Amino acid sequence: MRMHIGASLLSAWLIIFGAPAGRVWAAEFKAKVVDGAGRPLANAILDVELTERGVDGKIIHVQRLKLVSDQRGLVKGTYEEKKISTEDIRVYISKAGYENYSTGLGDEYILKRSFGPRDVRRIARLSGEAQKAELKELLVGDYESQRKEEDLFELTFLYYPELRSALLALLADPTARGNATQLLSFVAVPDDLRLVIQHAAAPSKDGLFANRWAYAVVSALLDPVMEEEWAFLKKCALGEYDDRWVDSGAIRSLRLMASPRSREILDEVGRKNL
């Protein structure tokens, strides 16, 4: 599954340095490549295309750089400094076994390892720390391109008995928690949902979909028992996770319950929205 790309666009470090009269000025391109868990990724290839345009918008000149990340994930190269708009810089990022893509100018690029159905079955046969480590790699990687073959959620449901312990353990890992939460919420075992809520992250401001994982939880939470579960539903319904999908999912679940407690929360939500 593709958890969404987090590169900081339009802010790559462009260090301009002078040269004696008559010499061409040069600029330095610097960036960092990390994997889905935020770890430095070596030997990633960045093909950088810099396009210079005239006042009429027509292409005058195209420069190309081919860079390779080092052990710290860093890439660096120089190019002839001309009147190049940041909108005319394209970066093509690739590495064998990873989900390649192209984007604009950034100071950090995330390259996720590719996984498919065969990997899920392989991980299901593992146990202990080995299974946990491999499952984490899958969750911070990229399964999206393979979903037309076999859906990751359906495979998780099929292999749930084998994967449950590792999924629950990964609720404590900030890099894998969001995807582990969504998979456990899809299976929707009540005891698992309680653990999911106990490990739930606080509302985040880090992006448009940063809190979308909560939608999966509230959509599955149809029989709350513990006070923590009711409190979580209430926070979501009141908009504390700043995501309309989360709000509507919590409200829909509360309506489906049609219990005195759920109606009480819905009344509070209604008063807030007046």
Side-chain angles (χ1 to χ4, degrees), residues 153-197:
F153 288 87
E154 293 173 358
L155 284 171
T156 300
F157 188 88
L158 180 63
Y159 292 103
Y160 168 77
E162 292 85 356
L163 297 173
R164 179 177 185 263
S165 294
L167 283 168
L168 291 174
L170 288 171
L171 291 174
D173 187 316
T175 60
R177 179 191 295 138
N179 287 330
T181 291
Q182 292 190 63
L183 293 173
L184 287 166
S185 298
F186 179 78
V187 181
V189 173
D191 286 344
D192 293 352
L193 291 174
R194 293 182 187 111
L195 290 171
V196 162
I197 291 170

Side-chain angles (χ1 to χ4, degrees), residues 8-16 27-30 47-53 63 79-92 102-107 109:
S8 303
L9 299 182
L10 304 180
S11 59
W13 307 329
L14 297 176
I15 303 174
I16 311 300
E28 188 174 70
F29 172 89
K30 286 185 179 181
D47 289 298
V48 185
E49 185 177 277
L50 307 105
T51 303
E52 181 187 2
R53 298 178 186 273
Q63 298 181 61
Y79 62 93
E80 185 179 341
E81 205 282 316
K82 293 175 179 280
K83 294 180 179 179
I84 298 172
S85 167
T86 55
E87 296 178 358
D88 287 326
I89 298 177
R90 297 299 299 173
V91 182
Y92 301 84
S102 67
T103 186
L105 187 63
D107 57 7
Y109 300 98

Side-chain angles (χ1 to χ4, degrees), residues 41-183:
L41 190 62
N43 299 317
I45 298 171
L46 273 71
D47 289 298
V48 185
E49 185 177 277
L50 307 105
T51 303
E52 181 187 2
R53 298 178 186 273
V55 292
D56 58 359
K58 293 183 179 179
I59 295 174
I60 298 174
H61 180 63
V62 177
Q63 298 181 61
R64 290 183 173 86
L65 301 176
K66 188 165 187 175
L67 309 172
V68 180
S69 60
D70 63 18
Q71 293 300 314
R72 297 171 295 170
L74 300 177
V75 290
K76 182 172 64 175
T78 58
Y79 62 93
E80 185 179 341
E81 205 282 316
K82 293 175 179 280
K83 294 180 179 179
I84 298 172
S85 167
T86 55
E87 296 178 358
D88 287 326
I89 298 177
R90 297 299 299 173
V91 182
Y92 301 84
I93 308 148
S94 62
K95 182 175 180 176
Y98 288 73
E99 187 66 17
N100 307 327
Y101 66 97
S102 67
T103 186
L105 187 63
D107 57 7
E108 182 176 283
Y109 300 98
I110 300 175
L111 201 55
K112 295 186 178 183
R113 186 175 156 196
S114 297
F115 289 91
R118 184 180 301 176
D119 296 297
V120 179
R121 294 186 174 88
R122 172 180 58 81
I123 293 169
R125 292 194 293 270
L126 301 175
S127 60
E129 287 300 314
Q131 185 184 65
K132 178 183 172 183
E134 286 296 306
L135 185 57
K136 174 181 175 176
E137 293 302 311
L138 186 148
L139 294 184
V140 302
D142 193 309
Y143 192 90
E144 186 73 24
S145 62
Q146 303 291 339
R147 290 188 66 176
K148 290 182 180 178
E149 292 183 48
E150 292 179 87
D151 186 86
L152 179 57
F153 288 87
E154 293 173 358
L155 284 171
T156 300
F157 188 88
L158 180 63
Y159 292 103
Y160 168 77
E162 292 85 356
L163 297 173
R164 179 177 185 263
S165 294
L167 283 168
L168 291 174
L170 288 171
L171 291 174
D173 187 316
T175 60
R177 179 191 295 138
N179 287 330
T181 291
Q182 292 190 63
L183 293 173

